[in-house]
Amino acid sequence: MKYLFSTICLFLSISNFAQDFNFNTKYNPSDKKMIQDYFHFAEVNYSQNTITGKDLVNKNYIINLKEFKNGKLVNTICLDKSDNAYYAVLDSTTFNFNIIGKRIKNNYEMKLFFDRYWTKKFTLKLQPKYAEDYILKELPVKESDLQFNKPFIFLLLTTPEYHKDGSASWCEVAASETPEKIYEKNKIPHFFVFEMTIL
C-alpha cells in the first residue's frame, strides 16, 4: 500500500512538470547563402519561431515585450494577442510566427509576421551609446516552462557583454536565461525580453 501511494505521488509530480507543447526558434534562418549575406549586409535581424502541440487547437496566446533598465522592469508592451475578431484562437497543432527587426539610428524597428496577418511596426528607443550593438538573440527555453497558462521567455533584444580586452559576446548574455541573471551576471544596463503565454 505504501509503495502504491509513493508511485501515485511520483506520477502526479511528473505530470505537474510535463510540457504541454514544443517551441523552436531559429535566428536568421535560410538555406540560401545569398539571403543570409543580405541579412548581414542590411543588418536585419530575423527570428523564426514554431510552436507544436496536439492540444494547441482552440488555445489563445499573448506575446509581450518587457523592457528592463538596470535590472528593473520599466515597461511592458503587448505585441500581439489572439483576441481580435478575425483570429480569436489557434486553429492548428502548429503555430508559426516570425519577427523581423532593424536598428535605425538610436531606435529599433520591428514587426511580427503570422501566417495570415502581421502586426503594426513597433519602434523602441535604444541607449545611444550602445545603439549599434543591439541585436535579437534567441534564449534557450526550458521544457518545464512550456506549459499552458505559464509565461516563457524566448528572445532578447540586447547589447553584448563587453570584456576588458575589447571583445564582446551576445551568447554569454543569452546563456544567463533570466532577466535577473542577465543584469547581475552580465551587467547589461538595458535590454528587452520577449515573453509568450499560451492560454
Side-chain angles (χ1 to χ4, degrees):
M1 187 68 178
K2 182 183 294 185
Y3 173 78
L4 178 61
F5 178 75
S6 299
T7 303
I8 292 173
C9 289
L10 176 62
F11 175 78
L12 290 175
S13 65
I14 293 174
S15 299
N16 287 336
F17 292 101
Q19 68 184 74
D20 294 316
F21 51 89
N22 295 304
F23 183 88
N24 181 262
T25 185
K26 295 180 181 179
Y27 179 70
N28 282 3
S30 175
D31 57 357
K32 295 184 178 180
K33 188 175 185 304
M34 180 181 68
I35 296 177
Q36 290 181 337
D37 290 345
Y38 174 77
F39 284 154
H40 290 300
F41 176 76
E43 297 182 342
V44 171
N45 298 158
Y46 183 87
S47 174
Q48 185 182 70
N49 306 278
T50 302
I51 300 173
T52 56
K54 61 182 179 62
D55 296 320
L56 281 182
V57 178
N58 294 327
K59 295 292 185 181
N60 282 282
Y61 69 88
I62 183 168
I63 302 174
N64 287 325
L65 182 72
K66 294 187 172 182
E67 180 180 7
F68 289 82
K69 289 184 177 180
N70 297 320
K72 304 294 184 182
L73 177 64
V74 296
N75 192 23
T76 299
I77 302 170
C78 179
L79 300 177
D80 192 59
K81 59 181 179 179
S82 58
D83 66 349
N84 59 66
Y86 297 102
Y87 309 113
V89 294
L90 301 182
D91 59 3
S92 173
T93 56
T94 300
F95 178 56
N96 299 300
F97 66 96
N98 303 322
I99 301 174
I100 299 179
K102 179 178 174 61
R103 182 189 61 82
I104 299 178
K105 295 184 179 180
N106 293 329
N107 294 323
Y108 192 88
E109 296 186 351
M110 67 177 185
K111 294 182 74 168
L112 281 70
F113 294 84
F114 300 84
D115 288 341
R116 292 173 290 181
Y117 69 103
W118 52 86
T119 67
K120 67 177 184 179
K121 183 182 292 184
F122 294 91
T123 301
L124 310 173
K125 291 187 178 299
L126 308 177
Q127 287 191 336
K129 183 178 179 180
Y130 303 106
E132 294 184 1
D133 293 337
Y134 284 80
I135 67 167
L136 293 180
K137 182 65 181 175
E138 68 275 15
L139 278 173
V141 180
K142 297 178 181 177
E143 290 186 358
S144 58
D145 289 336
L146 297 178
Q147 299 179 40
F148 296 129
N149 301 305
K150 181 177 181 179
F152 65 94
I153 59 177
F154 63 95
L155 194 66
L156 288 172
L157 175 62
T158 183
T159 60
E161 178 178 341
Y162 301 100
H163 302 139
K164 292 180 179 180
D165 62 3
S167 62
S169 173
W170 288 268
C171 292
E172 290 181 19
V173 180
S176 294
E177 297 181 359
T178 66
E180 295 78 16
K181 289 183 179 179
I182 288 169
Y183 179 70
E184 293 173 4
K185 180 181 177 182
N186 308 106
K187 306 304 180 186
I188 308 298
H190 183 229
F191 59 91
F192 298 84
V193 169
F194 292 76
E195 181 185 87
M196 185 172 189
T197 309
I198 306 292
L199 305 167

